[in-house]
Each structure stands twice: as C-alpha cells, then as structure tokens.
Amino acid sequence: MIPAAWERRHVLSLRDFTVAELDIVLQTAHSFQEVLSRRTKKVPTLQARVVANLFFESSTRTRNSFELAAKRLSADILNFAPGTSALTKGETILDTAKTFWAMGAEFMVIRHQQSGVPQTIAAEMDRLGGHVGVLNAGDGCHEHPSQALLDLFTLCQGFGSDRPRSESLKGKKVAIVGDIRHSRVARSNLYSLKAAGADVHLAAPPTLLPKEFDCYGATRHWQVEPALEKANIVMTLRLQRERMDQHLIPSLREYHQQFGLTRDRLKQCHPEVKVLHPGPVNRGVEISSDLMDDPHFSLINQQVASGVAIRMALLYLMGNYHTGPLT
Ligand code: CP
C-alpha cells in the first residue's frame, strides 16, 4: 500500500486539499478498515515510532481514536494531561511540544481551545528540522480536519460503491444545521464537501451564522426548512455553550423548537436521508434523543468507528512522507 501523490508533512487544515488527496485518504482508510475487521487488528507499520497525543482541551472521541489508531499501527504513544503536566508550573505550550520532540516524538496530535496552536507548533518543529508531523485534532473555531475526513468517509461508504470516493457525493444536498459560527467541524467539512461537489446548505439563527460564511460557496439560511427540503444528508452541530460569551440564542428550548432535528422535520428531507453529528451531543437540543438513536437514519456510531481507520490512514500517510514508503 504505497500511495502516489501524498506530499504533506502536516495535516493542519483541509482548505487546500485536492480531490486526489481526499481520495488517497479515503482509500487508505478503506484498506485499514479491512485490517480492523481481522481477528488480529494490528500491523507493524509504525513500530517503535512515537506518537504524542497533546490534548490541551477535553476530548473523548478524537483523543481515544488517535490513541487506538496509533496502537493498531504498533506505534508507541505518549498521552498528556494538561492538568497534571508542567503547564501548571508555567511551562509554555511550545516548550511542552519541544519536550516531546526531544523524547523522539515523530507525530504530534494537537487539540487546543485557541485557533492556530497546531500551526504554531508545526512551524516550530519545521524550524528545528525535527521531521515531526503535526496533526490538527481541533483548534478553537478554526478547523478539525480528521473529523471532516471521517465524515466524508462515512458518507462515501453510504453512497458509493465498494471503494469510497469523494465523487459519490457530487450533487448530493447536505444541510449543516446548528452552531456554525463556533464550529471548526463545519469549516473543515465545508472545504471537503465543496471539493467533493456536494450542494451544501447552512442553517442557523443569524447570530450563529454570520456573513463570513458566504465565502465558502454554500447557501445560507436563517430558517431550517429550506435547508432540509429534499436533503440527502443532514449534519447537526452542537450548540457550543462554552464558546458563547454573549446571549446568542433566546433559550435551548426555543432553539430546539426552531432548529432542532426531529422525526417530523426529517419528513421534508429525501426519504433515504442520513443524519450525522460529530458529538458530543446535547440530547434534545440540536437533535431529538430518539432520532439520534435510530440506526435507520443516524450514522453517529459509524462516524465514531470510521474515526479509527481515518486516523490510521493519516498517521500512515504522514509517516510515509518523511521516511519513504512504509511496509
Ligand atoms: N467530535 C469530536 O471532536 O469529539 P471529541 O471532542 O469527543 O473529541
């Protein structure tokens, strides 16, 4: 498995990902999904190489699936808990990253509540000439590339043939509904879905869907109904109360009444509509609890499962970039 056109040391943003690169990630993940279905779910690809999971902000899905992906590739993994680290004694983020680099980390998976931290660490690693690949695992309101890639993988598997390709989403109507303003998931998905040729519609109250989103080539709606009309895919997003420093919605109850995804609202969509949510979910706010748990519509568990194969693919491709082809 030696992918042809992969030339990225870091994965920080999907902004300039080509369709060819998206397809390399999808097809590599597809191969790893086959590995994950075997009795022995492990390959020696990253044996003795060190992956540092530097999560400065809380996470369940992303942190654990990067850890499992690294373990499935036989890497050594260093986890980091900010609350019990030397950060509490005043060490800087860059000095923290350099400490892991000095221990031999070749991959750094970074989550931070401030936009731009993974980019800053990547620039410092490049300056040191350390051959470290940095993965953005979600930075502030900026981007969450591996989430959008696992969403793409989940959707292409649903709509495509036996090997997932981004072109299977061409012309599909995708409604992204929720707190788009604060969503790094929405921003990364806008890049990948538009590159795949999907017809993307955004729906949120005006306070959560500012004009800056016009530049992404999606259609903006301040009501949910036109976005849902005949949609093939609905991606609901969490209301990020921790990032709301003003009163941007009247109440959670009113938000649910106007924008919450329910079985009734889903009737406006395509009969075969599929529902995604990156998690964590505010049950009964952005999506009704029963709909979230209905496997006929909800792909939420498949999204989580896809995350391991996608993160194996990213580690593999990045590892390939700086050492030459891996076995
Ligand atoms: N989707 C996502 O990023 O979830 P976590 O915050 O649990 O990683």
Side-chain angles (χ1 to χ4, degrees):
M1 186 166 52
I2 304 171
W6 184 264
E7 293 187 355
R8 290 180 186 270
R9 183 188 304 283
H10 310 297
V11 175
L12 302 171
S13 162
L14 295 188
R15 190 187 185 108
D16 59 351
F17 258 63
T18 62
V19 170
E21 286 177 298
L22 293 173
D23 284 340
I24 287 172
V25 176
L26 295 180
Q27 282 156 36
T28 309
H30 183 69
S31 302
F32 282 123
Q33 204 175 43
E34 188 276 316
V35 170
L36 293 172
S37 69
R38 292 180 199 159
R39 189 178 169 140
T40 303
K41 304 177 194 316
K42 217 161 167 149
V43 286
T45 309
L46 295 185
Q47 204 158 41
R49 298 179 71 182
V50 179
V51 177
N53 242 352
L54 307 183
F55 278 64
F56 299 90
E57 186 204 89
S58 56
S59 164
T60 298
R61 292 151 200 79
T62 314
R63 193 185 73 73
N64 287 294
S65 69
F66 265 115
E67 178 169 352
L68 188 55
K71 286 177 171 167
R72 297 295 194 217
L73 293 169
S74 305
D76 294 324
I77 178 122
L78 296 172
N79 279 309
F80 162 81
T84 54
S85 77
L87 279 180
T88 60
K89 302 176 191 169
E91 186 162 62
T92 67
I93 292 169
L94 276 185
D95 284 339
T96 302
K98 282 191 264 189
T99 302
F100 284 93
W101 166 71
M103 282 185 230
E106 288 178 67
F107 304 87
M108 290 186 189
V109 182
I110 316 282
R111 166 161 301 185
H112 201 283
Q113 57 275 24
Q114 295 295 329
S115 300
V117 169
Q119 287 78 356
T120 304
I121 292 175
E124 182 64 6
M125 291 301 129
D126 288 347
R127 193 186 68 76
L128 292 168
H131 305 292
V132 176
V134 176
L135 279 140
N136 180 359
D139 63 327
C141 302
H142 175 232
E143 278 211 50
H144 196 345
S146 65
Q147 177 69 46
L149 290 168
L150 74 86
D151 292 340
L152 189 69
F153 186 62
T154 307
L155 289 171
C156 290
Q157 285 197 309
F159 288 103
S161 54
D162 52 335
R163 285 190 83 79
R165 296 177 70 87
S166 53
E167 69 179 17
S168 58
L169 296 191
K170 205 176 178 86
K172 294 277 188 284
K173 181 172 179 181
V174 183
I176 303 181
V177 183
D179 182 358
I180 293 161
R181 177 188 183 130
H182 298 101
S183 178
R184 53 199 179 204
V185 174
R187 286 174 176 84
S188 288
N189 262 293
L190 275 160
Y191 292 130
S192 50
L193 292 171
K194 289 303 295 179
D199 174 23
V200 185
H201 292 249
L202 305 174
T207 47
L208 298 180
L209 182 49
K211 209 170 162 17
E212 66 167 271
F213 281 89
D214 282 348
C215 69
Y216 291 90
T219 309
R220 273 192 309 149
H221 304 278
W222 289 341
Q223 275 97 34
V224 75
E225 287 76 15
L228 295 186
E229 185 66 34
K230 297 193 168 46
N232 303 96
I233 297 149
V234 183
M235 189 177 289
T236 50
L237 298 175
R238 185 172 68 92
L239 280 187
Q240 299 194 27
R241 284 177 279 176
E242 73 277 20
R243 291 188 214 279
M244 289 189 197
D245 44 15
Q246 306 142 36
H247 293 286
L248 297 176
I249 52 166
S251 69
L252 295 181
R253 197 162 157 266
E254 199 165 319
Y255 176 84
H256 183 68
Q257 278 170 358
Q258 290 181 5
F259 286 91
L261 197 63
T262 59
R263 281 182 195 283
D264 213 30
R265 284 219 160 101
L266 218 58
K267 289 178 189 154
Q268 300 167 59
C269 302
H270 188 281
E272 299 299 317
V273 65
K274 295 296 174 200
V275 175
L276 284 83
H277 192 305
V281 179
N282 295 306
R283 278 183 182 264
V285 179
E286 55 263 7
I287 181 169
S288 65
S289 198
D290 66 312
L291 188 54
M292 179 183 163
D293 294 330
D294 183 342
H296 183 72
F297 295 109
S298 171
L299 296 181
I300 294 172
N301 291 332
Q302 283 97 315
Q303 286 175 275
V304 175
S306 297
V308 180
I310 280 289
R311 287 161 179 142
M312 287 174 81
L314 291 173
L315 291 168
Y316 169 85
L317 291 165
M318 291 166 65
N320 214 24
Y321 171 80
H322 46 101
T323 58
L326 299 168
T327 51

